[in-house]
Every structure is written in C-alpha cells, then in structure tokens.
Short mmCIF file of all heavy atoms in Angstrom, two decimals:
data_model
loop_
_atom_site.label_atom_id
_atom_site.label_comp_id
_atom_site.label_asym_id
_atom_site.label_seq_id
_atom_site.Cartn_x
_atom_site.Cartn_y
_atom_site.Cartn_z
N VAL A 1 -16.45 -36.40 28.19
CA VAL A 1 -15.22 -36.66 27.42
C VAL A 1 -14.36 -37.73 28.12
O VAL A 1 -13.69 -38.60 27.49
CB VAL A 1 -14.42 -35.40 27.16
CG1 VAL A 1 -12.99 -35.69 26.60
CG2 VAL A 1 -15.16 -34.47 26.23
N ARG A 2 -14.32 -37.66 29.44
CA ARG A 2 -13.47 -38.66 30.18
C ARG A 2 -13.90 -40.05 30.03
O ARG A 2 -13.20 -41.07 29.97
CB ARG A 2 -13.41 -38.22 31.72
CG ARG A 2 -12.80 -36.94 31.99
CD ARG A 2 -12.48 -36.75 33.43
NE ARG A 2 -12.04 -35.46 33.66
CZ ARG A 2 -10.79 -35.02 33.55
NH1 ARG A 2 -9.83 -35.87 33.14
NH2 ARG A 2 -10.44 -33.66 33.81
N LEU A 3 -15.28 -40.20 29.85
CA LEU A 3 -15.86 -41.51 29.65
C LEU A 3 -15.39 -42.03 28.26
O LEU A 3 -15.10 -43.26 28.09
CB LEU A 3 -17.41 -41.46 29.69
CG LEU A 3 -18.03 -41.05 30.99
CD1 LEU A 3 -19.54 -41.01 30.91
CD2 LEU A 3 -17.57 -42.08 32.11
N ILE A 4 -15.32 -41.18 27.30
CA ILE A 4 -14.86 -41.56 25.93
C ILE A 4 -13.41 -41.94 25.98
O ILE A 4 -13.01 -42.99 25.37
CB ILE A 4 -15.01 -40.46 24.95
CG1 ILE A 4 -16.52 -40.16 24.70
CG2 ILE A 4 -14.36 -40.74 23.61
CD1 ILE A 4 -16.86 -39.03 23.76
N VAL A 5 -12.64 -41.28 26.78
CA VAL A 5 -11.18 -41.64 26.86
C VAL A 5 -11.07 -43.06 27.51
O VAL A 5 -10.29 -43.86 27.04
CB VAL A 5 -10.43 -40.65 27.77
CG1 VAL A 5 -9.05 -41.09 28.05
CG2 VAL A 5 -10.41 -39.27 27.06
N VAL A 6 -11.80 -43.34 28.57
CA VAL A 6 -11.73 -44.66 29.19
C VAL A 6 -12.21 -45.70 28.20
O VAL A 6 -11.66 -46.84 28.10
CB VAL A 6 -12.61 -44.69 30.43
CG1 VAL A 6 -12.73 -46.10 31.02
CG2 VAL A 6 -12.09 -43.73 31.51
N ALA A 7 -13.26 -45.44 27.44
CA ALA A 7 -13.77 -46.37 26.44
C ALA A 7 -12.74 -46.68 25.42
O ALA A 7 -12.62 -47.82 24.99
CB ALA A 7 -15.07 -45.80 25.78
N VAL A 8 -12.00 -45.63 25.00
CA VAL A 8 -10.92 -45.79 23.99
C VAL A 8 -9.88 -46.69 24.60
O VAL A 8 -9.30 -47.62 23.90
CB VAL A 8 -10.38 -44.46 23.51
CG1 VAL A 8 -9.09 -44.72 22.76
CG2 VAL A 8 -11.31 -43.64 22.75
N ILE A 9 -9.49 -46.53 25.84
CA ILE A 9 -8.51 -47.39 26.52
C ILE A 9 -8.91 -48.85 26.38
O ILE A 9 -8.10 -49.77 26.12
CB ILE A 9 -8.26 -46.94 27.94
CG1 ILE A 9 -7.59 -45.51 27.98
CG2 ILE A 9 -7.37 -47.87 28.72
CD1 ILE A 9 -7.48 -44.96 29.39
N VAL A 10 -10.18 -49.13 26.79
CA VAL A 10 -10.69 -50.52 26.83
C VAL A 10 -10.61 -51.06 25.37
O VAL A 10 -10.19 -52.15 25.13
CB VAL A 10 -12.13 -50.56 27.31
CG1 VAL A 10 -12.69 -51.90 27.19
CG2 VAL A 10 -12.15 -50.13 28.80
N LEU A 11 -11.08 -50.31 24.35
CA LEU A 11 -11.05 -50.80 22.98
C LEU A 11 -9.68 -51.01 22.50
O LEU A 11 -9.42 -52.02 21.77
CB LEU A 11 -11.76 -49.76 22.07
CG LEU A 11 -13.32 -49.63 22.23
CD1 LEU A 11 -13.83 -48.54 21.38
CD2 LEU A 11 -14.00 -51.01 21.83
N LEU A 12 -8.71 -50.14 22.86
CA LEU A 12 -7.30 -50.37 22.44
C LEU A 12 -6.79 -51.67 23.06
O LEU A 12 -6.13 -52.42 22.33
CB LEU A 12 -6.43 -49.20 22.93
CG LEU A 12 -6.57 -47.87 22.11
CD1 LEU A 12 -5.81 -46.73 22.74
CD2 LEU A 12 -6.18 -48.08 20.71
N GLY A 13 -7.08 -51.87 24.32
CA GLY A 13 -6.64 -53.18 24.93
C GLY A 13 -7.20 -54.39 24.26
O GLY A 13 -6.54 -55.37 24.01
N TYR A 14 -8.55 -54.34 23.87
CA TYR A 14 -9.21 -55.39 23.24
C TYR A 14 -8.58 -55.82 21.91
O TYR A 14 -8.36 -56.92 21.60
CB TYR A 14 -10.66 -55.00 23.07
CG TYR A 14 -11.47 -56.10 22.37
CD1 TYR A 14 -11.88 -57.27 22.99
CD2 TYR A 14 -11.83 -55.95 20.99
CE1 TYR A 14 -12.63 -58.18 22.24
CE2 TYR A 14 -12.60 -56.85 20.30
CZ TYR A 14 -12.93 -58.01 20.90
OH TYR A 14 -13.63 -58.99 20.22
N TYR A 15 -8.28 -54.71 21.11
CA TYR A 15 -7.75 -54.98 19.80
C TYR A 15 -6.25 -55.14 19.83
O TYR A 15 -5.61 -55.76 19.00
CB TYR A 15 -8.10 -53.82 18.80
CG TYR A 15 -9.49 -53.85 18.38
CD1 TYR A 15 -10.41 -52.98 18.92
CD2 TYR A 15 -9.94 -54.76 17.45
CE1 TYR A 15 -11.72 -53.05 18.54
CE2 TYR A 15 -11.23 -54.84 17.09
CZ TYR A 15 -12.19 -53.97 17.61
OH TYR A 15 -13.48 -54.01 17.26
N ALA A 16 -5.64 -54.66 20.87
CA ALA A 16 -4.10 -54.77 20.94
C ALA A 16 -3.65 -56.17 21.31
O ALA A 16 -2.67 -56.62 20.71
CB ALA A 16 -3.55 -53.75 21.98
N ILE A 17 -4.25 -56.83 22.24
CA ILE A 17 -3.75 -58.15 22.72
C ILE A 17 -3.61 -59.13 21.62
O ILE A 17 -2.46 -59.72 21.49
CB ILE A 17 -4.73 -58.67 23.86
CG1 ILE A 17 -4.68 -57.74 25.06
CG2 ILE A 17 -4.44 -60.13 24.14
CD1 ILE A 17 -5.59 -58.13 26.14
N PRO A 18 -4.66 -59.36 20.74
CA PRO A 18 -4.41 -60.43 19.71
C PRO A 18 -3.29 -59.91 18.67
O PRO A 18 -2.51 -60.78 18.20
CB PRO A 18 -5.71 -60.51 18.95
CG PRO A 18 -6.45 -59.21 19.34
CD PRO A 18 -5.98 -58.84 20.74
N GLN A 19 -3.15 -58.67 18.38
CA GLN A 19 -2.11 -58.21 17.50
C GLN A 19 -0.75 -58.36 17.98
O GLN A 19 0.21 -58.58 17.33
CB GLN A 19 -2.35 -56.79 17.07
CG GLN A 19 -3.65 -56.61 16.28
CD GLN A 19 -3.61 -55.33 15.43
OE1 GLN A 19 -2.68 -54.96 14.79
NE2 GLN A 19 -4.70 -54.63 15.50
N LEU A 20 -0.60 -58.25 19.43
CA LEU A 20 0.72 -58.42 20.02
C LEU A 20 1.14 -59.89 20.17
O LEU A 20 2.30 -60.19 20.40
CB LEU A 20 0.72 -57.72 21.41
CG LEU A 20 0.56 -56.22 21.32
CD1 LEU A 20 0.39 -55.61 22.73
CD2 LEU A 20 1.80 -55.56 20.66
N ASN A 21 0.14 -60.74 20.15
CA ASN A 21 0.45 -62.23 20.37
C ASN A 21 0.83 -62.93 19.17
O ASN A 21 1.65 -63.91 19.27
CB ASN A 21 -0.86 -62.90 20.89
CG ASN A 21 -1.11 -62.52 22.39
OD1 ASN A 21 -0.16 -62.19 23.05
ND2 ASN A 21 -2.33 -62.80 22.76
N ALA A 22 0.52 -62.47 17.97
CA ALA A 22 0.84 -63.15 16.74
C ALA A 22 0.89 -62.27 15.55
O ALA A 22 0.21 -61.25 15.55
CB ALA A 22 -0.11 -64.34 16.49
N LEU A 23 1.69 -62.66 14.51
CA LEU A 23 1.69 -61.90 13.26
C LEU A 23 1.59 -62.86 12.13
O LEU A 23 2.39 -63.84 12.07
CB LEU A 23 3.04 -61.17 13.05
CG LEU A 23 3.19 -59.95 13.97
CD1 LEU A 23 4.69 -59.47 13.74
CD2 LEU A 23 2.27 -58.87 13.55
N PRO A 24 0.70 -62.58 11.13
CA PRO A 24 -0.69 -62.72 11.24
C PRO A 24 -0.93 -64.21 11.18
O PRO A 24 -0.06 -65.00 10.83
CB PRO A 24 -1.21 -61.84 10.05
CG PRO A 24 -0.11 -62.03 9.02
CD PRO A 24 1.19 -62.19 9.80
N PRO A 25 -2.10 -64.78 11.24
CA PRO A 25 -3.41 -64.02 11.60
C PRO A 25 -3.42 -63.74 12.98
O PRO A 25 -2.89 -64.48 13.77
CB PRO A 25 -4.52 -64.98 11.10
CG PRO A 25 -3.92 -66.32 11.27
CD PRO A 25 -2.45 -66.18 10.93
N VAL A 26 -4.13 -62.64 13.34
CA VAL A 26 -4.15 -62.22 14.68
C VAL A 26 -5.47 -62.73 15.40
O VAL A 26 -5.44 -62.95 16.60
CB VAL A 26 -4.03 -60.68 14.87
CG1 VAL A 26 -2.68 -60.24 14.39
CG2 VAL A 26 -5.14 -59.95 13.98
N THR A 27 -6.54 -62.84 14.65
CA THR A 27 -7.81 -63.32 15.12
C THR A 27 -8.48 -64.06 14.03
O THR A 27 -7.95 -64.23 12.95
CB THR A 27 -8.69 -62.23 15.60
OG1 THR A 27 -9.07 -61.40 14.48
CG2 THR A 27 -7.99 -61.28 16.63
N ASP A 28 -9.74 -64.55 14.38
CA ASP A 28 -10.47 -65.24 13.27
C ASP A 28 -11.12 -64.21 12.40
O ASP A 28 -11.65 -64.53 11.38
CB ASP A 28 -11.56 -66.08 13.98
CG ASP A 28 -10.99 -67.33 14.68
OD1 ASP A 28 -9.87 -67.70 14.32
OD2 ASP A 28 -11.55 -67.84 15.66
N ARG A 29 -11.09 -62.90 12.76
CA ARG A 29 -11.72 -61.91 11.85
C ARG A 29 -10.82 -61.72 10.73
O ARG A 29 -9.64 -61.92 10.77
CB ARG A 29 -11.90 -60.61 12.64
CG ARG A 29 -12.78 -60.61 13.86
CD ARG A 29 -13.01 -59.17 14.38
NE ARG A 29 -11.73 -58.56 14.69
CZ ARG A 29 -11.17 -58.57 15.90
NH1 ARG A 29 -11.79 -59.37 16.86
NH2 ARG A 29 -10.04 -57.97 16.19
N ALA A 30 -11.47 -61.32 9.56
CA ALA A 30 -10.72 -60.99 8.36
C ALA A 30 -10.05 -59.70 8.63
O ALA A 30 -10.57 -58.69 9.06
CB ALA A 30 -11.63 -60.85 7.13
N VAL A 31 -8.67 -59.64 8.36
CA VAL A 31 -7.94 -58.43 8.61
C VAL A 31 -7.09 -58.22 7.41
O VAL A 31 -6.71 -59.03 6.61
CB VAL A 31 -7.01 -58.54 9.82
CG1 VAL A 31 -7.82 -58.72 11.13
CG2 VAL A 31 -6.07 -59.72 9.65
N THR A 32 -6.75 -56.86 7.20
CA THR A 32 -5.87 -56.54 6.15
C THR A 32 -4.45 -56.75 6.54
O THR A 32 -4.16 -57.15 7.76
CB THR A 32 -5.88 -54.99 5.90
OG1 THR A 32 -5.46 -54.25 6.98
CG2 THR A 32 -7.43 -54.57 5.55
N PRO A 33 -3.43 -56.78 5.66
CA PRO A 33 -2.06 -56.98 5.96
C PRO A 33 -1.53 -56.13 7.03
O PRO A 33 -0.63 -56.46 7.84
CB PRO A 33 -1.27 -56.79 4.65
CG PRO A 33 -2.30 -57.21 3.62
CD PRO A 33 -3.63 -56.67 4.17
N GLY A 34 -2.15 -54.91 7.18
CA GLY A 34 -1.72 -53.96 8.19
C GLY A 34 -2.30 -54.20 9.58
O GLY A 34 -2.08 -53.41 10.50
N GLY A 35 -3.21 -55.21 9.68
CA GLY A 35 -3.84 -55.57 10.95
C GLY A 35 -5.14 -54.96 11.22
O GLY A 35 -5.61 -54.96 12.38
N ARG A 36 -5.79 -54.33 10.24
CA ARG A 36 -7.08 -53.55 10.38
C ARG A 36 -8.25 -54.54 10.00
O ARG A 36 -8.14 -55.24 9.01
CB ARG A 36 -7.10 -52.33 9.61
CG ARG A 36 -6.04 -51.35 10.00
CD ARG A 36 -6.04 -50.08 9.19
NE ARG A 36 -4.98 -49.15 9.59
CZ ARG A 36 -3.79 -49.23 9.19
NH1 ARG A 36 -3.38 -50.05 8.25
NH2 ARG A 36 -2.86 -48.39 9.65
N THR A 37 -9.36 -54.47 10.84
CA THR A 37 -10.48 -55.35 10.51
C THR A 37 -11.18 -54.94 9.27
O THR A 37 -11.28 -53.72 8.92
CB THR A 37 -11.44 -55.18 11.70
OG1 THR A 37 -10.88 -55.68 12.93
CG2 THR A 37 -12.69 -56.13 11.47
N THR A 38 -11.59 -55.89 8.45
CA THR A 38 -12.32 -55.65 7.22
C THR A 38 -13.59 -56.48 7.17
O THR A 38 -13.57 -57.55 7.73
CB THR A 38 -11.43 -55.93 6.04
OG1 THR A 38 -12.16 -55.71 4.79
CG2 THR A 38 -10.87 -57.32 5.95
N ARG A 39 -14.54 -56.04 6.43
CA ARG A 39 -15.76 -56.81 6.26
C ARG A 39 -15.57 -58.00 5.36
O ARG A 39 -16.44 -58.90 5.34
CB ARG A 39 -16.90 -55.93 5.83
CG ARG A 39 -17.24 -54.80 6.78
CD ARG A 39 -18.18 -53.73 6.02
NE ARG A 39 -19.43 -54.40 5.67
CZ ARG A 39 -20.39 -53.76 4.95
NH1 ARG A 39 -20.13 -52.53 4.54
NH2 ARG A 39 -21.45 -54.36 4.62
#
C-alpha cells in the first residue's frame, strides 16, 4: 500500500505542474474545462 501512496504522489505532481502553470490550455492533451484529460 505504501508503494501505491508514493505512486499517487508522483502522479499528482506530474498532473499538477501544468495545471498550476496556466489556465487553460494546460498541456497539449485534450482536456475538459475542469482540467481533466479526455480522449
């Protein structure tokens, strides 16, 4: 379980940095207005 917690921390950091830098677009990925990745 501790490994999962560490993995979640890394993923949060990965997705948090672009969202904190700009509003929107946050990355080249397609995102919803709420900032969630979409296909």
Side-chain angles (χ1 to χ4, degrees):
V1 169
R2 297 192 188 278
L3 296 178
I4 293 181
V5 173
V6 173
V8 169
I9 293 174
V10 173
L11 289 174
L12 285 175
Y14 176 78
Y15 285 105
I17 291 174
Q19 293 200 47
L20 293 173
N21 284 339
L23 286 174
V26 294
T27 67
D28 292 335
R29 297 189 303 269
V31 295
T32 66
R36 299 175 180 88
T37 300
T38 177
R39 297 170 61 188

